[in-house]
Amino acid sequence: MCTHQSQIDMEPITTRKVLVIYTGGTIAMIENDKGNLVPVKEKFLTNWLFHHLVLYEKRPNETEEEARKRLKVKEGWMLLHQKAVNDYNKDFRVLYHIHSVIPPIDSSSMTPKEWFGIADKIREAKHDYDGFVILHGTDTMAYTSSALSFILWDLRKPVILTGSQRPLFHPRSNAEDNFIGAVLMASCYSTNKYLQQVMIYDDTKLYQGNRVCKYDCDSYSVYDCPNAEPLARLDTLIKVRECNPCKPQDLRVKASPSGKCPDVRLLKVFPGINAEYITSILDRAEGLILETFGAGNAPDQPHLIDALIKADATGVVILNCTQVYKGTVLPIYDVSAKLWKAVVSGYDITPEAALAKMVWTLRTFSDQKTRKEVG
């Protein structure tokens, strides 16, 4: 049963270190000559963040130059706003490094190859940092966070993705709160076992990374968890919910992702779906995310059921998830009884997490039996 706590036991005086991986996205974009948003270089981003730090941490009796000298940290480290850290412990100091992928990209261009590349960087640095923050565009963040939750399922450190609806450099941006909140939680709360997982931070809320959907592209509140509550809320008090992270169950082998990215397809069932469309989607697929009606229902049409059963027999892994925003896939209707001969229930998984998990599962495990068990 989940309960809430507003305070965490205080730890000894210490410095926490965070690696910030900048992949691109709106959070660090400026307008080009054509008026279109493009990602900035790492140096531009770090200079702005340091200027923002000076703005908030400058003492009343010192000049801006004196504040810059006092706050400057050696060897490329950046200092998180101490006033924010004080909400956790006034004896804490948080340092972070920024590492940029080359080149930073719009998240619409993110692919599974980048998912595994980001995961490799985190695994290589896991002994040097207490937590990790990934600056990422909001459009595909739920896919990346879902993928990383499976790839890094055994990391036991916080990995927090965040972005913004307007760039850091815009006067009405939500980027400052998202960035500061993400780094604060990845550092000060790094030993909190409930937060040692992949998460998304947005609009004062911290979500489990593989339970999130982007549901609004106009609001500053971008994400929602259809079937779960936020893990933490950063209001005037920081409240963490005591829920153990979900991890892949019954893994009898050590998952070591390698090799090519598998060919995973999406098939969204709709009224009047015909045989040619189904066949074209299944042709040469290795995995299929089947988005069905309601609680996992599909039309009782022989061409659909036969195609899925044939695909299953040839080794295609088929995961059934609902196309409804909120709810659970359950085998309770007779109309879809035959469907369950070929598919695995996704229960209450989101479509984004379903696709990411399928890519990870097919890349990690070689036999269909294990793939279905993990799925």
Side-chain angles (χ1 to χ4, degrees), residues 52-348:
H52 193 260
L53 171 69
V54 172
L55 174 67
Y56 275 86
E57 298 297 329
K58 178 179 171 295
R59 294 168 179 168
N61 61 342
E62 66 182 353
T63 65
E64 182 170 327
E65 186 60 31
E66 289 171 336
R68 284 180 171 274
K69 289 180 180 179
R70 178 174 59 82
L71 296 169
K72 189 172 183 180
V73 183
K74 297 180 180 179
E75 299 176 350
W77 288 101
M78 301 280 286
L79 183 67
L80 184 65
H81 306 66
Q82 190 60 43
K83 290 177 182 177
V85 177
N86 288 349
D87 284 344
Y88 177 78
N89 187 334
K90 292 184 178 180
D91 293 324
F92 263 54
R93 184 176 73 153
V94 175
L95 301 178
Y96 63 92
H97 264 139
I98 296 181
H99 172 83
S100 175
V101 301
I102 306 297
I105 60 174
D106 188 294
S107 73
S108 298
S109 299
M110 189 69 64
T111 70
K113 180 181 177 182
E114 277 77 37
W115 298 344
F116 287 95
I118 293 169
D120 287 342
K121 293 183 190 305
I122 291 174
R123 286 199 182 278
E124 290 169 4
K126 67 180 181 180
H127 298 301
D128 299 322
Y129 297 90
D130 298 289
F132 301 87
V133 168
I134 301 169
L135 303 184
H136 194 291
T138 60
D139 283 347
T140 62
M141 190 186 296
Y143 289 97
T144 301
S145 63
S146 294
L148 292 177
S149 74
F150 300 115
I151 302 169
L152 300 172
W153 68 272
D154 58 344
L155 185 70
R156 296 198 181 103
K157 288 191 176 183
V159 177
I160 303 177
L161 290 84
T162 197
S164 66
Q165 291 293 79
R166 283 185 163 177
L168 281 160
F169 322 109
H170 192 284
R172 286 207 313 116
S173 174
N174 60 327
E176 291 91 344
D177 175 75
N178 284 350
F179 178 83
I180 294 169
V183 178
L184 177 69
M185 299 306 290
S187 54
C188 292
Y189 292 80
S190 62
T191 60
N192 185 313
K193 67 178 181 178
Y194 305 111
L195 303 183
Q196 291 179 336
Q197 57 179 303
V198 177
M199 298 164 284
I200 282 179
Y201 181 77
D202 174 66
D203 191 29
T204 72
K205 291 178 282 293
L206 192 61
Y207 300 101
Q208 185 174 320
N210 54 21
R211 306 287 282 172
V212 174
C213 293
K214 180 174 180 177
Y215 81 108
D216 194 337
C217 61
D218 293 330
S219 168
Y220 283 141
S221 183
V222 179
Y223 299 101
D224 188 31
C225 278
N227 297 300
E229 290 293 317
L231 297 171
R233 295 178 184 271
L234 279 70
D235 297 317
T236 55
L237 296 175
I238 298 175
K239 299 178 181 179
V240 177
R241 194 163 59 94
E242 296 183 352
C243 279
N244 288 316
C246 296
K247 299 182 183 298
Q249 297 178 355
D250 300 325
L251 293 181
R252 296 180 178 84
V253 296
K254 178 70 174 178
S256 54
S258 61
K260 71 179 184 67
C261 288
D263 190 344
V264 178
R265 311 283 178 84
L266 296 174
L267 177 57
K268 186 170 185 175
V269 174
F270 55 86
I273 189 170
N274 61 48
E276 291 76 18
Y277 181 79
I278 297 166
T279 302
S280 68
I281 297 293
L282 285 169
D283 184 35
R284 290 185 293 238
E286 296 176 69
L288 179 73
I289 307 303
L290 183 67
E291 292 191 34
T292 50
F293 303 132
N297 300 319
D300 187 13
Q301 298 174 352
H303 65 262
L304 171 61
I305 304 301
D306 291 346
L308 295 175
I309 291 175
K310 181 180 178 181
D312 173 66
T314 58
V316 181
V317 181
I318 305 171
L319 185 65
N320 184 3
C321 66
T322 179
Q323 57 186 252
V324 179
Y325 181 69
K326 184 177 182 179
T328 307
V329 168
L330 295 170
I332 58 177
Y333 289 94
D334 184 68
V335 69
S336 299
K338 296 177 182 177
L339 186 68
W340 295 100
K341 296 178 181 179
V343 304
V344 177
S345 173
Y347 196 61
D348 63 355

